[in-house]
Amino acid sequence: MIMFQTIVLTLAAILSPGLNEPKSPYDGLSIVNVKIENKRQLNQLREAGARPLSCFDHGGATPMLFSPKHYKLANSLLIEFEVLEPSVQKYIEEFEVLREEARNNAVGGWFSDFKTWDEVNTKLSLFESTNPGVATVFTVGTTHEGRNIQGIRITAPGDASTRKQILWNGCQHAREWVAVMVPMYIANEIIIGWENNPEIQTLLEKTEIIIVPIVNPDGYEFTYAAGGDRFWRKNRRNNSGSCEGVDLNRNWGHEWNGGDSTSPNTCSDVYVGPSVFSEPETQAMRDLVNKLPNLVAHIDFHSYSQLVLGPWASSNNTPPQVNLVNTLGANISDAIESIHGETYLFGTGGDLLYLADGVFPDWTTTTGTISYTIELRPTGSPGFDLPPSEIIPTCEESFAGAMAMLRFVNEPVAFSFPNGAPVLVSPGEMSVFPLTIETVFGGGVNTDTATLHVRYGNDGVFAQRSIAHTAGSEYEVQLPVSMCGLQSEYWITAETTDGETHRFPSGDELFYAGVANEVIGWNMNTNPGWNSAGQWDWGVPAGGGGAYGNPDPTNGATGQNVYGYNLQGDYANNLQQTHLTTTPIDISGINNLQLQFSRYLNVEQPSYDHASISASVDGGSWTTVWTNPSGIEDNQWQTVLYDLTNITNGGSSLEIRWTMGETDSAWTYSGWNIDDVQLLSTSGSATTGDVNCDGVVNVNDILAIVSGWGPCSQVCNEDIIPDGTINVSDLLQVIGNW
Ligand code: 0X9
Ligand code: ZN
């Protein structure tokens, strides 16, 4: 966090509008990132008229519009801030230049630049006129200022009355311009897909898609208007006072006016409105939803932060259909990331953002719909003014997220491991873990058909074992793990009442779990002699630092020594990326590598400071294994485990590095401390058929099988094809691997 207090007086002088200058609504304003530490600070700034550009504590900091008096106030309240844009006027002018360039280049066609309400409506009509029978434009309702809220329905020709319905809307918030482009792009792609993409054709035979790109046309137009306000968020209700507008995304009928990120004050950006559903926009959208009998899923697009937020926004309670919500949410987030590598974390508002009452997706959740808020690009600065060059990439990745939803609602079942699946397990035991199999919107599962397909090692036949149904959609997997250290590979099937069999994971992917075999380890009692740049060092941590977060430890997780970044105290401000890199490690022939180590880490949240781990195989480029998703304040050692399988499989030499930095110009933490580093593999060196684990497949193994002949209720090494019976199929495995 940057401290700017020393230069504030100078800045304030520069920013004060001169007496003769013409007044623009942005004169003398700058954009600052304010580190709000409590509600009182936020309220005092708000009362003094400083406008937040996000209605919330945005990852610990709130971007706000400051005039010189707000600098003074922030200083007197000891609030820290960082100037992002010294002159809003200049910033807006520069953005307009970018837009003009983008329009002139027009590389992205219609999507090269942001579009006005009129332009959007014209495009919607064009969609309809060029695709009659597939795309139909309709009016959802009319606003305070008399504008029509336009929507488009897209589905295959024919009777749509039994098709599943999906709602994708944008722009409840006026200034979130990219949240208009995204639903328009999705509409465009779906329509194109209807012409040339067999998968979309099939999906449109089963689904009706309803898209409303601009829920808040009055506000949206105001952000473009001369004399308007680029940073307007709400609608344009006349509140018969000094302030206009209601925050539409606080006006909905779930926990309306509930106190989380809401305000009864008409001047607030999160003004809830005079009553629940008081606004023509929320009424119109509510009435639309009420007329969609088969609505199963909903995305409300916003910007910015790059997040996929599931219900509830209003509380940390478990939402209905939580496994479906989590499975689809993770699918959407993965699909988005697969396009341009941009991370959109999936979680709930309470986890990732803040709680908010009276929001649209919470209300659709109460109608039985699976609903998300997607916060589009960017992650932070420049906020709502996404460079036009990023419109298309944002649209492309969002379309992938939308497709994940379209596919999911048409899938009959969803499998999930509520506690995750085990990776490292104990030899010779059953690894027991829960599984849920749920019907996605209709139909049912034949509960007695849930089956585990499992084998030891990575070749040969899969045994089948039935999976116990415990209650409702809940099952319990008992995964046998061999004694000799061969990993178990497995997949799961279940049949739906229509007789179709479904597989988890899909395609020919497998899950695996195995005994942890140490490939190599460093307990740090002696110096491993890794390549340590900057203040990385091996030795005893001194318990220093902790200006923010916790100080370093005073010893290792085991023994005294660790590798740490600045063993004496905090990392510095303005630090570049600084690495601790292992010597190359031979991993040839080793699959399913896991990195395990003891961590004692303190780092500020990633808007400001970074701590990460990456890996390089055979001297290639560095792949990120982990990067701090939030601030981290360890006050004790903890063991962490990272799966390197997808990075290292097939490689022969591995380097791992821990990185401190970059860090910004204020707030220091004690940084990395690392101990007991181990590379583990679940792929043992055992051989199929080696029943007694002595390294050879021979007559002793046959004798073991013969003497163990018959059923095996737990884990038996003689049961080489682990189907629960020691029989001739196991004998054949011994002979086959002789
Ligand atoms: O506050 C909002 O309405 C949304 N964020 S925005 O910056 N676009 O205004 C978030 C709504 C969903 N909120 C939570 N799930 N907490
Ligand atoms: Zn928004």
Side-chain angles (χ1 to χ4, degrees):
M1 180 63 56
I2 302 178
M3 298 283 285
F4 267 80
Q5 298 182 358
T6 46
I7 56 163
V8 159
L9 286 177
T10 344
L11 254 178
I14 295 169
L15 293 171
S16 303
L19 284 177
N20 304 322
E21 286 171 30
K23 272 269 185 188
S24 115
Y26 309 115
D27 255 349
L29 290 180
S30 33
I31 304 179
V32 292
N33 223 3
V34 190
K35 183 119 188 178
I36 303 284
E37 292 181 85
N38 52 54
K39 278 203 170 143
R40 194 179 56 89
Q41 292 180 336
L42 182 61
N43 286 340
Q44 274 175 291
L45 284 173
R46 273 185 172 156
E47 292 301 307
R51 289 178 55 199
L53 289 187
S54 58
C55 61
F56 54 93
D57 182 16
H58 186 99
T62 306
M64 291 183 123
L65 291 183
F66 264 28
S67 71
K69 76 169 182 186
H70 302 128
Y71 284 109
K72 281 199 194 124
L73 179 63
N75 280 323
S76 70
L77 295 171
L78 296 177
I79 298 173
E80 286 192 36
F81 53 87
E82 164 189 14
V83 178
L84 296 175
E85 297 292 343
S87 159
V88 173
Q89 183 61 42
K90 198 165 141 267
Y91 165 76
I92 289 190
E93 283 162 13
E94 282 166 6
F95 183 61
E96 284 306 316
V97 171
L98 275 186
R99 289 190 58 203
E100 198 180 328
E101 282 169 13
R103 276 197 300 277
N104 292 340
N105 296 338
V107 272
W110 196 84
F111 295 90
S112 300
D113 182 28
F114 301 100
K115 291 292 189 287
T116 63
W117 176 67
D118 266 334
E119 291 169 314
V120 166
N121 289 341
T122 306
K123 186 75 169 171
L124 286 175
S125 304
L126 194 69
F127 285 154
E128 177 178 71
S129 61
T130 49
N131 301 276
V134 175
T136 317
V137 175
F138 66 101
T139 298
V140 186
T142 309
T143 65
H144 287 294
E145 294 178 352
R147 293 189 179 84
N148 284 344
I149 304 167
Q150 296 294 79
I152 188 163
R153 293 174 182 253
I154 309 171
T155 189
D159 177 13
S161 62
T162 61
R163 296 179 189 165
K164 295 195 172 88
Q165 293 165 316
I166 293 184
L167 174 63
W168 291 322
N169 72 271
C171 200
Q172 288 199 77
H173 290 146
R175 60 197 176 188
E176 299 169 8
W177 284 2
V178 72
V180 174
M181 302 308 282
V182 160
M184 288 302 285
Y185 184 90
I186 293 172
N188 194 38
E189 288 297 305
I190 295 283
I191 289 169
I192 294 171
W194 168 253
E195 282 153 21
N196 62 18
N197 180 326
E199 186 196 11
I200 290 182
Q201 288 162 355
T202 309
L203 289 166
L204 285 180
E205 304 275 358
K206 300 193 276 186
T207 327
E208 181 178 46
I209 295 169
I210 295 100
I211 294 177
V212 183
I214 307 177
V215 170
N216 177 12
D218 291 353
Y220 190 61
E221 283 290 86
F222 191 62
T223 63
Y224 282 86
D229 179 354
R230 171 67 190 98
F231 299 108
W232 193 253
R233 167 182 169 95
K234 301 184 283 182
N235 74 352
R236 293 295 298 161
R237 165 184 278 272
N238 179 348
N239 290 319
S240 344
S242 55
C243 300
E244 290 78 40
V246 169
D247 183 353
L248 294 179
N249 207 28
R250 298 294 182 274
N251 193 237
W252 294 83
H254 177 75
E255 301 289 329
W256 177 77
N257 196 16
D260 290 306
S261 178
T262 61
S263 170
N265 176 348
T266 54
C267 290
S268 167
D269 254 347
V270 289
Y271 173 45
V272 294
S275 58
V276 63
F277 286 119
S278 56
E279 299 313 289
E281 296 89 347
T282 50
Q283 288 167 14
M285 291 301 288
R286 173 198 61 194
D287 296 346
L288 168 67
V289 167
N290 285 338
K291 277 184 252 148
L292 300 174
N294 306 325
L295 185 69
V296 286
H298 169 212
I299 301 175
D300 179 23
F301 286 102
H302 289 252
S303 73
Y304 53 97
S305 298
Q306 297 188 192
L307 298 170
V308 178
L309 299 170
W312 300 100
S314 62
S315 76
N316 293 316
N317 297 344
T318 306
Q321 311 183 83
V322 65
N323 293 311
L324 297 185
V325 166
N326 288 342
T327 306
L328 176 53
N331 285 358
I332 293 174
S333 164
D334 290 350
I336 291 175
E337 186 169 347
S338 75
I339 303 299
H340 296 296
E342 287 294 317
T343 318
Y344 287 52
L345 288 180
F346 166 61
T348 59
D351 287 346
L352 298 175
L353 206 56
Y354 50 89
L355 297 179
D357 293 321
V359 310
F360 189 5
D362 270 10
W363 180 76
T364 49
T365 296
T366 65
T367 71
T369 303
I370 295 198
S371 306
Y372 303 87
T373 301
I374 294 189
E375 298 278 1
L376 298 161
R377 290 196 197 187
T379 52
S381 181
F384 308 109
D385 290 328
L386 186 72
S389 58
E390 286 194 51
I391 296 173
I392 295 242
T394 307
C395 287
E396 289 169 340
E397 64 205 14
S398 305
F399 175 61
M403 280 302 294
M405 176 175 273
L406 182 55
R407 292 189 183 109
F408 185 85
V409 303
N410 286 294
E411 253 158 36
V413 285
F415 295 83
S416 58
F417 297 125
N419 301 345
V423 176
L424 298 178
V425 288
S426 306
E429 287 179 11
M430 285 292 180
S431 176
V432 181
F433 55 99
L435 161 78
T436 61
I437 311 176
E438 278 165 286
T439 308
V440 185
F441 317 115
V445 176
N446 294 330
T447 53
D448 57 350
T449 62
T451 305
L452 173 72
H453 304 254
V454 57
R455 70 182 175 194
Y456 297 147
N458 55 14
D459 59 14
V461 234
F462 285 87
Q464 295 192 13
R465 306 174 71 103
S466 79
I467 294 175
H469 176 230
T470 45
S473 58
E474 293 161 30
Y475 298 75
E476 186 180 83
V477 181
Q478 301 219 358
L479 177 74
V481 184
S482 93
M483 292 178 204
C484 301
L486 277 174
Q487 67 174 352
S488 298
E489 296 190 332
Y490 66 97
W491 41 286
I492 285 160
T493 54
E495 197 183 273
T496 33
T497 45
D498 59 5
E500 293 261 344
T501 297
H502 307 276
R503 187 190 197 276
F504 181 51
S506 60
D508 54 7
E509 301 276 298
L510 296 171
F511 295 113
Y512 61 86
V515 178
N517 299 295
E518 188 184 273
V519 175
I520 187 166
W522 299 266
N523 62 16
M524 301 296 167
N525 293 346
T526 54
N527 188 344
W530 291 343
N531 186 348
S532 47
Q535 286 187 296
W536 277 105
D537 208 354
W538 175 84
V540 183
Y548 289 89
N550 298 305
D552 280 325
T554 52
N555 51 274
T558 58
Q560 291 298 302
N561 296 305
V562 305
Y563 253 122
Y565 192 85
N566 188 6
L567 295 172
Q568 311 307 318
D570 287 343
Y571 55 71
N573 288 321
N574 298 314
L575 185 66
Q576 296 302 303
Q577 291 199 340
T578 313
H579 312 295
L580 168 71
T581 312
T582 63
T583 39
I585 304 154
D586 181 6
I587 54 161
S588 37
I590 297 168
N591 288 323
N592 302 335
L593 212 54
Q594 314 283 318
L595 168 66
Q596 182 175 291
F597 67 94
S598 294
R599 181 190 87 184
Y600 199 120
L601 171 64
N602 279 267
V603 61
E604 197 182 8
Q605 53 165 292
S607 320
Y608 308 116
D609 295 347
H610 303 270
S612 61
I613 308 168
S614 43
S616 159
V617 174
D618 298 333
S621 59
W622 292 93
T623 306
T624 303
V625 173
W626 179 85
T627 176
N628 59 312
S630 59
I632 292 192
E633 303 191 2
D634 289 344
N635 61 6
Q636 56 184 37
W637 285 97
Q638 53 178 295
T639 307
V640 291
L641 182 72
Y642 301 101
D643 189 352
L644 305 183
T645 305
N646 294 332
I647 302 173
T648 58
N649 265 6
S652 57
S653 170
L654 169 69
E655 287 168 278
I656 299 170
R657 74 181 186 192
W658 285 261
T659 304
M660 196 72 253
E662 304 174 349
T663 65
D664 75 351
S665 60
W667 288 48
T668 62
Y669 289 67
S670 59
W672 277 114
N673 294 278
I674 292 156
D675 199 1
D676 297 327
V677 178
Q678 281 183 299
L679 280 174
L680 305 171
S681 164
T682 57
S683 57
S685 54
T687 324
T688 304
D690 183 15
V691 173
N692 59 9
C693 314
D694 66 355
V696 267
V697 182
N698 59 16
V699 69
N700 292 331
D701 301 309
I702 293 211
L703 292 175
I705 286 190
V706 171
S707 69
W709 202 265
C712 155
S713 64
Q714 282 300 305
V715 175
C716 309
N717 259 18
E718 300 83 355
D719 191 17
I720 299 171
I721 296 176
D723 56 3
T725 327
I726 303 164
N727 57 15
V728 71
S729 65
D730 303 309
L731 203 57
L732 291 174
Q733 289 296 305
V734 177
I735 294 164
N737 290 288
W738 199 267

